[in-house]
Amino acid sequence: MSVAASPAVSLQIDEQVERAVRIGLGSRPKTLPPWLFYDAAGSELFEQITELPEYYLTRTERAILESHASEMVALAGGGNRLRFTELGAGSAEKTRVLMKAALARQDGLMFEAVDVSATALLAAQARIEREIPGVRVALLEMDYTNGFELDACDAGERRLVLYIGSSIANFEPEEAARILRKLRSQLGAGDGLLLGVDLVKDESRLLAAYDDVAGVTAAFNKNMLVRMNRELGSDFDLAMFEHRAVWNETMSRMEMHLESCADQRVRFAALDWEVEFLAGETIHTENSYKFRSGDAEAMLAEAGFAHAGTWTDKRGWFEVCVGKAEKLGLGTRE
Ligand code: AVI
């Protein structure tokens, strides 16, 4: 944290936010990293997105988990007790069905919820422990993208890491591969990873999911501007930027942008800095990669996981894969 020295505006400035904004808006084309979406208002808007009729991802993945939870858990556990570790757990809504399936095979379940913010986790912890007797929730407040350490499991216990919601899709492929490799290095041979990814489908369906009629995704995207105005003292006029959702076929990803409606200049009073925008110029705020059959298994294999199973919905819109950590070379954890 640093306190800005500007005489006009004095704010507590998060250095990580300032650095990301200076780098992103100083680049050509302009970009901002998607983690900037998730302040309290952005996290709330994302929860609303998951319930939109157009945003099929959450509903479809939940249906896959509901249909196959017992099978997934049996495959992951084999003859062992399971411990769950969910990355980016948030409210852990979809995980409940897996918890119940695990509790049908074993007494009690340790659920480690990993997230950057303890706020969402605290509410989830109380609710889960109240509503699903036998689950003990441990909160691990950390940014799993920057490396993390997990405790070793108890004897006779295996860890199943849950990485669902297509969260891996918001990272560039090399970054996603790095995260999975890092994760693998924290696991013992035979531990599992359950990965949920969204699949390539009809373009109109994808566009609708990222540009809903009610405008919730537009508000989510523009929340970056709101956040910069509040935290960095900028004067973005929200009416002067349009939400744009684009299907990039070549890169197999949905992109979100904020497009400037005119030539304009935005002043960051707290940073004593100005940024110019041309009419039609965009800030690229998010990529959401869409996968094809076999891609998730290949990602798992590359990170050191043997494929154990893949499940999809009837329409082939979303996929859940389970991989098992393979034995590593000498000098590693197991
Ligand atoms: C969190 N993540 C998987 C969402 C996605 O679909 O890429 C974020 C999101 N962006 C727009 N709508 C939802």
Side-chain angles (χ1 to χ4, degrees), residues 56 198-208 210-211 244-257 286-292 295:
Y56 58 85
D198 193 21
L199 299 177
V200 174
K201 57 186 63 61
D202 189 54
E203 180 172 353
S204 60
R205 189 75 61 184
L206 289 167
L207 290 173
Y210 289 82
D211 194 5
R244 293 273 178 252
V246 179
W247 168 238
N248 183 331
E249 170 88 49
T250 315
M251 301 300 289
S252 195
R253 68 191 190 199
M254 278 302 302
E255 297 178 0
M256 295 212 306
H257 296 258
E286 186 184 64
N287 290 323
S288 189
Y289 282 86
K290 305 299 166 189
F291 299 88
R292 292 179 194 273
D295 288 350

Side-chain angles (χ1 to χ4, degrees), residues 38 46 49 55 57 165-167 170 210 217 220 256 286 288:
Y38 301 97
F46 178 65
I49 287 175
Y55 196 76
L57 288 82
S166 198
S167 305
N170 295 133
Y210 289 82
T217 311
F220 175 70
M256 295 212 306
E286 186 184 64
S288 189

Side-chain angles (χ1 to χ4, degrees), residues 20-298:
V21 170
R22 279 193 187 271
I23 293 172
L25 296 188
S27 316
R28 297 289 171 277
K30 294 182 172 67
T31 60
L32 286 172
W35 57 262
L36 277 173
F37 286 132
Y38 301 97
D39 61 1
S43 301
E44 172 52 35
L45 283 164
F46 178 65
E47 286 301 317
Q48 290 178 31
I49 287 175
T50 63
E51 286 167 17
L52 290 170
E54 296 96 331
Y55 196 76
Y56 58 85
L57 288 82
T58 313
R59 225 173 297 117
T60 311
E61 184 178 46
R62 182 180 295 123
I64 298 171
L65 296 178
E66 276 165 2
S67 303
H68 302 287
S70 313
E71 217 181 319
M72 292 169 179
V73 160
L75 254 180
N80 304 279
R81 287 178 60 77
L82 279 176
R83 165 193 299 226
F84 285 177
T85 305
E86 181 167 358
L87 303 184
S91 61
E93 252 338 291
K94 279 176 294 186
T95 316
R96 292 157 166 260
V97 60
L98 292 166
M99 292 179 193
K100 288 179 185 160
L103 286 169
R105 308 173 74 241
Q106 64 187 55
D107 286 337
L109 173 72
M110 168 63 99
F111 174 63
E112 297 169 326
V114 180
D115 210 303
V116 273
S117 149
T119 326
L121 294 182
L122 276 169
Q125 178 183 41
R127 206 152 18 90
I128 291 167
E129 288 185 346
R130 193 175 57 243
E131 292 171 13
I132 316 183
V135 176
R136 204 150 56 80
V137 183
L139 306 184
L140 307 182
E141 188 176 5
M142 58 187 177
D143 175 5
Y144 66 82
T145 64
N146 284 329
F148 53 93
E149 301 227 332
L150 296 172
D151 292 340
C153 282
D154 298 338
E157 192 183 40
R158 282 208 171 138
R159 181 175 259 121
L160 175 61
V161 175
L162 311 171
Y163 198 13
I164 58 178
S166 198
S167 305
I168 191 83
N170 295 133
F171 296 99
E172 294 310 297
E174 317 73 56
E175 180 69 355
R178 191 190 58 77
I179 291 171
L180 294 183
R181 276 197 303 272
K182 173 70 191 166
L183 173 63
R184 168 65 195 92
S185 76
Q186 292 297 303
L187 301 179
D191 283 346
L193 168 61
L194 184 149
L195 185 70
V197 295
D198 193 21
L199 299 177
V200 174
K201 57 186 63 61
D202 189 54
E203 180 172 353
S204 60
R205 189 75 61 184
L206 289 167
L207 290 173
Y210 289 82
D211 194 5
D212 61 281
V213 171
V216 182
T217 311
F220 175 70
N221 201 5
K222 286 192 181 187
N223 183 54
M224 283 221 191
L225 307 180
V226 178
R227 181 171 186 177
M228 288 186 286
N229 284 351
R230 186 182 63 248
E231 295 188 19
L232 304 177
S234 55
D235 59 0
F236 281 98
D237 177 352
L238 269 56
M240 294 304 287
F241 285 84
E242 287 282 346
H243 166 66
R244 293 273 178 252
V246 179
W247 168 238
N248 183 331
E249 170 88 49
T250 315
M251 301 300 289
S252 195
R253 68 191 190 199
M254 278 302 302
E255 297 178 0
M256 295 212 306
H257 296 258
L258 289 162
E259 182 178 324
S260 175
C261 300
D263 290 352
Q264 56 183 314
R265 188 180 292 250
V266 173
R267 181 166 160 69
F268 288 73
L271 306 182
D272 201 13
W273 187 47
E274 281 191 353
V275 180
E276 281 188 26
F277 292 88
L278 298 173
E281 184 179 4
T282 77
I283 311 173
H284 187 166
T285 49
E286 186 184 64
N287 290 323
S288 189
Y289 282 86
K290 305 299 166 189
F291 299 88
R292 292 179 194 273
S293 168
D295 288 350
E297 291 87 342

